[in-house]
Amino acid sequence: MKPGPRNLITDVPGLRVGNAQDDALKSGTTVLLADDPFTASVHVMGGAPGTRETDLLAPDKSVAAVDALVLSGGSAYGLDACSGVVDGLRAAGRGFRLGDATIPLVPGAILFDLLNGGDKAWAENPYRALGRAAYDAAAEDFTLGTIGAGTGALSAMVKGGLGSASLHLPDGTMVGALVAANPVGAVTTPGDRHFYAAPFEVDAEFGGMGPDPATGLGMTMESRKMASMSPRENTTIAIVATDATLTKAQCQRMSVAAHDGIGRATVPAHTPYDGDLVFGLSTGAHEVAESILPLIGHAASLCLARAIARAAYHATPAAGDLLPCWSDLNR
């Protein structure tokens, strides 16, 4: 396996990602779109999720495909970003058709970034407009780090952010991940130099520092974030995608496997104060042998681990930051 040409989730053909953010707000929104409706499911392992329309992604529910997925900051306010994406899709004539009605289906998930030093004294919820702006900005190429849903993200010790990665499988299948990393846990080992995801790094994509040679990692829980904020201001939300033809149940199994990537890249993971959630989607571009399904799930987990490290690696400093960037500590 090797990364695709962009090393982004948009290496899966037909996918586009849009980002919008407000730097004063220290928050933003990310949307994933496809050329056509796609099969999707979801799996939640965190104890404090915030979601919209995720019940319809269960394998036993009748909805066969959705039009977009949204990751957003803003806690419960951020769920309104989905409405902005719905507005854009409806204007484009996209959505589920029932008689004369057109109904875009846009599940979403949020992370908590309301106490990260940004100006949250809005008079009107800004996230619907951010959602529409992210929809309008959707493209195959996009920036990582302090952007979109990752704008105000923080890990335990350094700024988090928006990350992505991809892998091209030997049979031609493409797998990719997109993440807004804002976890309770640390993405770096003690000393802030090495990433927990380092064993899975490809071509120095997040600094090439290699694995931490120390042993006994994870025995302490240092957190600059908890020292200055409530322990509830967290969550890692992600999307893993493939062009392999998968059922909703198989998309859900891919999302379950992908959660291993959160555990590999973040220590601790899936805590009561995280809303850790992974969407899994299939564009259905080509049929695959059943024997390849375990490799697709494994690749999704590797992509997600790498994407989390890339999110922090590409984070950039901004006025009023509560935590340093990894790049500030490792010049």
Side-chain angles (χ1 to χ4, degrees), residues 287-323:
E287 299 288 338
V288 296
E290 185 175 354
S291 60
I292 203 72
L293 296 180
L295 184 57
I296 291 174
H298 175 55
S301 71
L302 294 180
C303 286
L304 185 46
R306 294 162 51 223
I308 290 170
R310 295 188 82 201
Y313 175 72
H314 286 283
T316 52
D321 281 350
L322 300 182
L323 295 184

Side-chain angles (χ1 to χ4, degrees), residues 86-295:
V86 167
D87 291 342
L89 287 163
R90 186 174 185 274
R94 290 277 303 270
F96 176 69
R97 297 186 182 275
L98 188 61
D100 293 333
T102 300
I103 311 166
L105 300 176
V106 183
I110 50 85
L111 55 81
F112 191 108
D113 59 3
L114 296 180
L115 301 175
N116 64 357
D119 180 6
K120 307 303 195 294
W122 60 72
E124 180 179 342
N125 187 342
Y127 287 95
R128 186 172 192 139
L130 286 169
R132 180 58 188 267
Y135 171 85
D136 290 337
E140 291 181 337
D141 291 306
F142 59 96
T143 304
L144 303 184
T146 306
I147 192 168
T151 299
L154 306 170
S155 72
M157 300 299 286
V158 297
K159 285 184 71 172
L162 188 78
S164 191
S166 68
L167 281 173
H168 194 216
L169 277 55
D171 75 331
T173 297
M174 187 66 74
V175 176
L178 177 70
V179 64
N182 182 58
V184 166
V187 298
T188 51
T189 63
D192 303 317
R193 183 172 177 81
H194 299 275
F195 287 98
Y196 276 110
F200 312 103
E201 184 178 17
V202 181
D203 296 332
E205 62 191 332
F206 42 88
M209 299 296 182
D212 194 325
T215 58
L217 299 176
M219 298 302 173
T220 61
M221 191 172 168
E222 296 177 88
S223 178
R224 296 186 181 103
K225 185 177 182 179
M226 279 195 185
S228 60
M229 303 167 66
S230 163
R232 297 179 181 273
E233 295 146 27
N234 312 289
T235 290
T236 295
I237 46 179
I239 303 168
V240 292
T242 182
D243 56 356
T245 300
L246 303 182
T247 65
K248 282 177 77 174
Q250 289 167 336
C251 284
Q252 185 183 56
R253 182 49 49 185
M254 177 174 63
S255 67
V256 171
H259 271 280
D260 288 352
I262 299 178
R264 288 167 175 155
T266 309
V267 178
H270 308 136
T271 77
Y273 301 138
D274 284 298
D276 294 347
L277 172 151
V278 180
F279 293 106
L281 77 88
S282 162
T283 62
H286 70 95
E287 299 288 338
V288 296
E290 185 175 354
S291 60
I292 203 72
L293 296 180
L295 184 57

